[in-house]
Amino acid sequence: MKILVLNSGSSSQKSCLYEIGDVIPKNSPEPIWQAKAEWNGDRAEVSIRTSRGDNLKNRITVGSREEAAGPMLDTLWSGITRVVSGPSEINVVGHRVVNGGQNYREPIVVNAEVRATITRMSAFAPLHNRAELEGMDIIAKRFGAIPQIAVFDTGFHSQLPESAYVYPGPYEWLARGIRRYGFHGINHQYCAERTAQLLGKDLRSLKIVSCHLGNGCSLAAIQDGHSVDTTMGFTPLEGLMMGTRSGSVDPGILTYMMREGLFTGEQLDELLNQKSGLLGISGISGDMRQIVALMKEGNSRAKLAFDIFVHRLRSCLGAMIAALGGIDALIFSAGIGENSAEVRAAACANFGYLNLMLDSEKNQSSPQDQDIAEKDSAVRVMVIRAQEDWAIAKKCWSLLSANVGSTGASARLETD
C-alpha cells in the first residue's frame, strides 16, 4: 500500500510517501519521497528528496497554498524525483488534523460530516484546522476520489479524566466546548510505543512522561497506554514556554492590558503566540540552538530565556510525575528534545531524589532512539526521534486494512 501523508502547517506544507507491505515494520522506514514547501509572503522554498538520493530545490512565487503544494505534489510522478507513474498508484492520503474536538478520538475517513466537524473546530484552532482543510481540497483536485484519512492530534488525549480536562471556570464553559484538549498527541503516542518497544516492556505497565520540545512544547503523562494529563489545553498556547509562544501566564495580565486599552484581543493573540517565549525574552531568537550559543557567549537575556524555559519544564515535569504517582521512563523528543543536550541535562538535574541518573557521555553523543540514563538509574531516560508522518501512515494502513480486509482493495473504501 502506498500512503501519502500531508502535514499542513500555517506557513508550510510537508508531505511524505511511504510504502507498506502486508506487515508494518517494527522500525520506521525512510519515506520513498518527501517534500516540504515553506513560504514567506509571496515566495515559497520547495525541497524534494527521494530514497534514491534525488534532490530538488526550487523557489516559486505563490498566492495560495495550492500554488505551493500543487507543484510540489506533481513531482511525485514527474521530473527527476518521480517515484510513481501517476496519482492512481497511491492508495490513500493521511492528514494530521490538530483539533478533532470531542467528536473524533480515532483516525477516520474524511466525508462531509467529518469535514463539517473539522470546520467547526477551526474556531478553536484557526491557523491549523483551516490549513488542513485546504490540504484536503488540494488532494481532491489532484487525486480525485482517493480515500483521505484524518488523524487527530487531540485523539490521544481523549481519555483524560474529567478532573484534568474541565477548567475551573463556570461549568457552562464545558457545554460551549471550552475544555482541555491537549495536542502533539500523535507524537506523544508514537514515542510512548517506541519506548516500550526499545525497553522490551508492555506499554500498559509503564508510567511515562513524554516531552515534546520543539518550537511548540508540551508534556504528556501516560499511564496504561494513554494520556492522563498534559500541559497544552484549550489551545496549543497553554503550558510550557515555547519558541515564540508564552505558555501559561496569569490571565489577569491580559484582562489588565485590555482594560487599559493597551491591546485588542487580536493583538494579544499575536503577542502571546508570535512575540513571546524564547524570542520575547531574548529579543533575538526563538531557536534554542541560538539561545544556547548566545548564552555561552555571555548574553544575559539569552541565559534568562534558557533559565525560564528550564524552570517551567522542571515544574511541569514534577506535575506530570505527581499525576502518575511515579515515573518509569522520561522521553525527550522533537527539535529541542532530540538535539539539545543542555536542555536534557538541566531538565533532569533536579530529579536525583527519584534516583534518576543521566549518563553524561550518552547525553552528549547525539543519541537517537536510545536510553541515555545510567545503568543503575531507577528511571529510564529516552531520546526518541519524532516520527509523526510515519505514525500517521501506520494508522492509515491499520484503518484501511481493517475496513476492507486487504491492502489491495483500499480504493473501494467509501469516502462520502
Side-chain angles (χ1 to χ4, degrees):
M1 186 189 299
K2 288 187 174 65
I3 301 170
L4 181 67
V5 175
L6 208 65
N7 194 331
S8 303
S10 58
S11 61
S12 68
Q13 189 79 61
K14 294 185 287 186
S15 189
C16 292
L17 180 67
Y18 292 94
E19 188 166 18
I20 304 178
D22 293 335
V23 178
I24 295 177
K26 288 185 178 180
N27 297 324
S28 58
E30 288 298 313
I32 60 178
W33 174 96
Q34 53 189 312
K36 184 176 184 178
E38 290 184 291
W39 52 90
N40 184 7
D42 63 351
R43 303 292 288 175
E45 298 283 346
V46 180
S47 59
I48 318 286
R49 188 166 77 247
T50 72
S51 57
R52 297 188 303 261
D54 305 306
N55 284 280
L56 175 67
K57 292 187 177 181
N58 196 10
R59 179 179 293 179
I60 58 176
T61 300
V62 296
S64 67
R65 178 176 297 274
E66 184 172 4
E67 289 175 7
M72 180 186 83
L73 293 170
D74 290 344
T75 67
L76 278 162
W77 52 80
S78 63
I80 64 169
T81 59
R82 177 179 182 269
V83 292
V84 295
S85 59
S88 61
E89 200 174 322
I90 296 171
N91 302 90
V92 61
V93 180
H95 297 268
R96 171 180 174 247
V97 178
V98 165
N99 198 332
Q102 302 173 61
N103 301 72
Y104 298 117
R105 298 185 174 190
E106 299 296 332
I108 189 169
V109 178
V110 176
N111 57 23
E113 182 181 350
V114 174
R115 279 190 62 99
T117 298
I118 296 171
T119 301
R120 188 166 62 252
M121 294 307 297
S122 294
F124 299 160
L127 294 178
H128 294 91
N129 275 32
R130 288 170 189 165
E132 290 140 14
L133 288 165
E134 288 181 36
M136 293 173 192
D137 291 338
I138 292 166
I139 292 297
K141 287 180 181 178
R142 270 179 160 71
F143 291 79
I146 190 172
Q148 298 193 58
I149 292 176
V151 182
F152 301 96
D153 241 353
T154 48
F156 184 56
H157 303 294
S158 61
Q159 296 185 57
L160 289 175
E162 195 172 30
S163 57
Y165 73 72
V166 176
Y167 282 108
Y171 186 74
E172 290 73 24
W173 279 6
L174 195 58
R176 297 178 62 88
I178 299 174
R179 51 159 288 171
R180 181 181 304 280
Y181 290 106
F183 300 93
H184 294 142
I186 296 168
N187 193 50
H188 283 307
Q189 182 177 18
Y190 169 80
C191 288
E193 291 171 352
R194 180 65 171 148
T195 290
Q197 180 189 45
L198 291 169
L199 296 179
K201 301 281 189 180
D202 182 345
L203 175 59
R204 292 168 297 179
S205 72
L206 296 172
K207 293 179 178 180
I208 295 172
V209 178
S210 172
C211 307
H212 179 110
L213 306 177
N215 188 50
C217 301
S218 72
L219 308 184
I222 300 167
Q223 190 168 25
D224 297 324
H226 60 82
S227 173
V228 297
D229 202 359
T230 187
T231 54
M232 283 183 170
F234 177 62
T235 73
L237 182 59
E238 189 179 0
L240 298 169
M241 180 185 191
M242 308 179 212
T244 63
R245 295 178 220 164
S246 64
S248 296
V249 297
D250 181 350
I253 298 170
L254 313 183
T255 56
Y256 163 76
M257 289 193 289
M258 292 184 75
R259 281 198 313 271
E260 294 294 308
L262 300 174
F263 294 96
T264 65
E266 288 185 358
Q267 288 171 332
L268 281 174
D269 187 75
E270 181 183 9
L271 184 74
L272 295 173
N273 278 289
Q274 299 177 30
K275 298 179 179 179
S276 297
L278 294 173
L279 174 62
I281 297 299
S282 72
I284 298 171
S285 176
D287 188 319
M288 181 59 79
R289 293 168 296 186
Q290 293 185 42
I291 296 297
V292 170
L294 289 166
M295 179 177 68
K296 290 178 178 178
E297 293 173 4
N299 186 298
S300 60
R301 284 182 60 178
K303 184 179 187 308
L304 178 60
F306 181 88
D307 289 346
I308 296 172
F309 185 92
V310 169
H311 172 77
R312 291 186 164 230
L313 177 55
R314 287 173 178 167
S315 296
C316 289
L317 277 171
M320 295 296 110
I321 294 169
L324 292 170
I327 181 172
D328 298 307
L330 174 63
I331 300 171
F332 291 97
S333 185
I336 297 172
E338 294 171 36
N339 298 302
S340 179
E342 295 86 356
V343 167
R344 293 193 298 263
C348 293
N350 280 20
F351 292 97
Y353 69 93
L354 295 174
N355 199 20
L356 187 161
M357 296 181 289
L358 197 64
D359 185 312
S360 297
E361 186 175 340
K362 288 181 179 177
N363 185 45
Q364 294 288 341
S365 64
S366 301
Q368 182 176 299
D369 286 20
Q370 183 180 341
D371 181 359
I372 60 170
E374 290 187 6
K375 183 178 179 181
D376 295 332
S377 175
V379 180
R380 308 325 303 165
V381 181
M382 311 297 296
V383 178
I384 304 293
R385 180 186 172 197
Q387 294 274 46
E388 284 179 327
D389 292 338
W390 170 238
I392 292 169
K394 288 196 300 179
K395 289 178 182 292
C396 290
W397 185 93
S398 298
L399 180 60
L400 262 66
S401 297
N403 273 276
V404 302
S406 71
T407 58
S410 61
R412 298 201 303 268
L413 194 64
E414 185 176 342
T415 60
D416 53 33

